[in-house]
Amino acid sequence: MQTGQVIVVGAGPSGLLLTLLLSQSGIPVTLLEQTSGLDTNTRASHYTPESCFEFDRAGVLDIIRSEGFSPNGVSWRKLDEHKTRLVKLQNPDPTPEEENQLPHRHRMVCLPLHRLGKILEDAVEQQPTATVHYGYKVTDINQAESKAQVTVAISDPNGNPETEVLEADYIVGCDGANSTVRRKLFGEMVYPGFTHDQQIVATNVHYDFSPYGYDDSQFFVHPEHWHMVARIQTDGLYRVTYGEVGGLTYDQLKERQPQKFMDILPGNPTPDKYKLVNFSPYKVHQRCVDKMRVGRFLLAADAAHLCNPFGGLGLTGGIADVGSLYDSLVGIHTGQADESILDIYDTERRRIWHEIINPNSTQNMRRLFTLDADTAVEKDPFLNMLRKIQDGEAPPANPGLMSLRYDMTQHYKAAWRNA
Ligand SMILES: Cc1cc2nc3c(=O)[nH]c(=O)nc-3n(C[C@H](O)[C@H](O)[C@H](O)COP(=O)(O)OP(=O)(O)OC[C@H]3O[C@@H](n4cnc5c(N)ncnc54)[C@H](O)[C@@H]3O)c2cc1C
Ligand SMILES: *[C@@H]1O[C@H](CO)[C@@H](O)[C@H](O)[C@H]1NC(C)=O
Ligand SMILES: *[C@@H]1O[C@H](CO)[C@@H](O)[C@H](O)[C@H]1NC(C)=O
């Protein structure tokens, strides 16, 4: 059957990318976003090969690379006077000829999320079959045999809210952790999983780390002051994300921040020594829905699953969802697949979350505060493996490895697969 039209709810990275990919294939897509413009809060910033693969398909990889940069590597360190490096995974440094060839073409790239959003939004605007509506908040959903519907509250600048019902063959909830589509499908409080006791504070800060021999990204192993420091822009903006005890209010966290920086940053700086440009505490969750497809409704990215940010598996998993869903919907649109491919989308994406994203992200965070820094590399299998790579006792990691990607075209009808 033909896909008449797809509605995507939410103009975060996942919704924008899905809209771009589908509209580039000639599928009419309507993107609905409740806010009046893109989110400018700094959130994710590191995109792994899985994400680069999808950016490449959408034709935006080169511009993302030109605005961002490729981190030189990641290390784990001890919070002593010299910030001793325990182990480092050095990223390859391809020659200019190698740079645009696989696997290096898809090596990790770093760019703050709001700048990625702008690139995607500009590309969506070029697509004749894409329509974007800001100020459209989905408040309810409904579906019949042949159509799916959303009720939308449209904010009117004169303060007279309007309500409209929009319908499509498929509606995709890319509406983030607080997804309305998910709540309406499964109930207000239904999001299986748990919230970590620890909370996290993500900050962006201008501070000169260069005298201290910092790498582009590093994690500090410490029972109390576990944290991460990563350069996120070429102008010297850094993301410092640190763990905090649970149960503190925003004001308490804010009050503790100067002491925290004095304890964890090299040089023990007082606030006059750095410029804090962003401070966002947030709770971290490990959650996944029981179904990513309910009839004509689909869920993707944070609306469907959440994990803590250590290792960047959250956004990567979401972008990999988008790639799988894009191939599924295009397959239906062109007759290369039937609707049952959407059930495979559901099972495979959830399998990847349960088998890789959830356990690995949990380990990535826990190893920072449960291990003793002096024995961490010896005791932790993952750090031990990195140590072997570092010392040349194991082959280097493939810079283009895509463990979170799942290729849906393998489920296209046989006649098409062989064509
Ligand atoms: C402070 C912070 C720091 C983070 N740091 C990292 C990190 O370092 N690494 C990492 O991998 N991940 C990080 N994340 C997570 C990452 O940002 C998310 O995984 C990613 O943004 C999810 O993208 P998304 O498109 O699924 O949802 P979102 O980016 O949340 O976008 C959802 C969109 O849907 C819209 N929307 C919601 N409800 C409705 C509705 N009813 N109607 C219409 N529109 C609606 C919202 O306004 C929003 O624009 C961080 C998150 C936060 C909050
Ligand atoms: C989610 O929604 C609840 C209730 O509307 C709100 O209190 C909370 O701040 C929201 N969380 C996020 C991350 O937007
Ligand atoms: C997940 O963890 C395993 C075991 O440590 C590791 O071999 C693998 O590379 C990890 N994958 C990802 C995507 O993090």
Side-chain angles (χ1 to χ4, degrees):
M1 64 158 281
Q2 290 281 110
T3 307
Q5 193 178 5
V6 176
I7 290 174
V8 175
V9 185
S14 61
L16 283 166
L17 184 64
L18 182 62
T19 302
L20 179 58
L21 286 163
L22 291 173
S23 58
Q24 285 173 338
S25 300
I27 298 177
V29 193
T30 305
L31 175 60
L32 309 176
E33 168 56 47
Q34 65 182 359
T35 62
S36 57
L38 283 186
D39 184 359
T40 55
N41 283 316
T42 34
R43 296 166 67 175
S45 50
H46 288 75
Y47 312 104
T48 64
E50 291 92 335
S51 300
C52 291
F53 176 90
E54 303 304 341
F55 297 153
D56 210 4
R57 292 213 276 180
V60 290
L61 181 62
D62 290 327
I63 179 161
I64 291 169
R65 280 214 178 280
S66 70
E67 290 197 17
F69 70 98
S70 308
N72 61 17
V74 53
S75 58
W76 278 259
R77 291 170 184 265
K78 181 178 169 173
L79 195 61
D80 58 10
E81 195 196 332
H82 302 290
K83 310 287 187 269
T84 305
R85 197 191 268 136
L86 305 172
V87 65
K88 178 173 182 187
L89 186 63
Q90 180 78 42
N91 289 340
D93 190 14
T95 63
E97 298 87 76
E98 287 172 337
E99 236 173 35
N100 276 320
Q101 292 162 13
L102 297 176
H104 295 290
R105 183 167 170 76
H106 292 159
R107 71 197 184 283
M108 184 181 272
V109 60
C110 180
L111 182 74
L113 190 58
H114 65 285
R115 295 181 60 193
L116 170 74
K118 182 78 182 95
I119 292 172
L120 295 174
E121 186 187 41
D122 289 347
V124 165
E125 270 172 22
Q126 307 298 315
Q127 296 306 316
T129 64
T131 311
V132 184
H133 292 300
Y134 285 105
Y136 277 50
K137 182 183 169 68
V138 169
T139 56
D140 206 356
I141 67 169
N142 187 29
Q143 63 180 319
E145 184 100 337
S146 63
K147 285 284 175 192
Q149 297 180 330
V150 280
T151 306
V152 180
I154 305 170
S155 51
D156 160 350
N158 305 321
N160 306 314
E162 265 183 66
T163 299
E164 209 175 285
V165 175
L166 303 176
E167 63 177 26
D169 289 347
Y170 298 101
I171 297 181
V172 186
C174 288
D175 47 347
N178 254 359
S179 171
T180 302
V181 176
R182 184 191 65 237
R183 287 165 196 251
K184 295 294 173 184
L185 287 173
F186 305 122
E188 281 300 319
M189 302 302 285
V190 184
Y191 201 175
F194 71 94
T195 303
H196 289 275
D197 294 334
Q198 300 81 4
Q199 50 186 331
I200 280 178
V201 178
T203 67
N204 287 351
V205 61
H206 284 282
Y207 181 60
D208 190 5
F209 287 90
S210 60
Y212 307 101
Y214 270 48
D215 300 301
D216 279 345
S217 303
Q218 47 262 296
F219 297 101
F220 283 84
V221 178
H222 191 278
E224 183 188 358
H225 296 309
W226 50 285
H227 71 282
M228 183 212 71
V229 177
R231 186 163 76 99
I232 58 170
Q233 271 180 188
T234 45
D235 67 355
L237 183 67
Y238 280 79
R239 161 65 52 88
V240 175
T241 300
Y242 56 87
E244 267 282 20
V245 288
L248 298 173
T249 64
Y250 179 92
D251 290 339
Q252 288 170 322
L253 291 164
K254 185 92 201 177
E255 201 180 319
R256 286 161 63 98
Q257 176 273 319
Q259 183 62 48
K260 201 73 183 171
F261 271 23
M262 203 172 309
D263 291 335
I264 67 179
L265 296 190
N268 311 98
T270 46
D272 56 311
K273 300 284 190 320
Y274 53 80
K275 188 162 170 249
L276 187 67
V277 292
N278 194 277
F279 175 86
S280 7
Y282 66 108
K283 294 197 168 59
V284 279
H285 313 267
Q286 304 291 138
R287 298 182 187 277
C288 182
V289 291
D290 289 331
K291 282 277 165 216
M292 287 172 68
R293 175 193 182 191
V294 179
R296 297 181 170 278
F297 281 91
L298 296 139
L299 292 171
D302 277 17
H305 44 72
L306 295 173
C307 68
N308 75 75
F310 293 96
L313 296 179
L315 185 65
T316 306
I319 297 220
D321 286 350
V322 165
S324 297
L325 189 52
Y326 160 63
D327 283 324
S328 303
L329 291 171
V330 166
I332 295 170
H333 179 70
T334 55
Q336 297 172 91
D338 60 45
E339 278 201 331
S340 64
I341 198 169
L342 297 173
D343 291 324
I344 307 175
Y345 163 79
D346 164 53
T347 50
E348 291 300 328
R349 293 315 316 172
R350 284 186 298 110
R351 179 184 61 76
I352 288 171
W353 189 85
H354 286 283
E355 287 181 2
I356 306 173
I357 296 175
N358 187 39
N360 281 38
S361 63
T362 303
Q363 275 308 312
N364 288 345
M365 180 165 137
R366 285 183 52 80
R367 76 166 58 87
L368 301 183
F369 55 83
T370 55
L371 295 175
D372 172 358
D374 290 319
T375 54
V377 176
E378 187 189 319
K379 290 210 171 133
D380 184 71
F382 178 74
L383 294 183
N384 196 268
M385 180 183 80
L386 296 188
R387 205 267 309 151
K388 288 192 173 131
I389 294 173
Q390 170 193 280
D391 296 348
E393 292 165 24
N398 175 352
L401 187 71
M402 302 206 197
S403 28
L404 304 189
R405 173 166 141 73
Y406 186 82
D407 181 3
M408 294 300 299
T409 66
Q410 65 189 289
H411 301 290
Y412 281 9
K413 293 171 190 166
W416 290 95
R417 285 206 308 274
N418 299 336

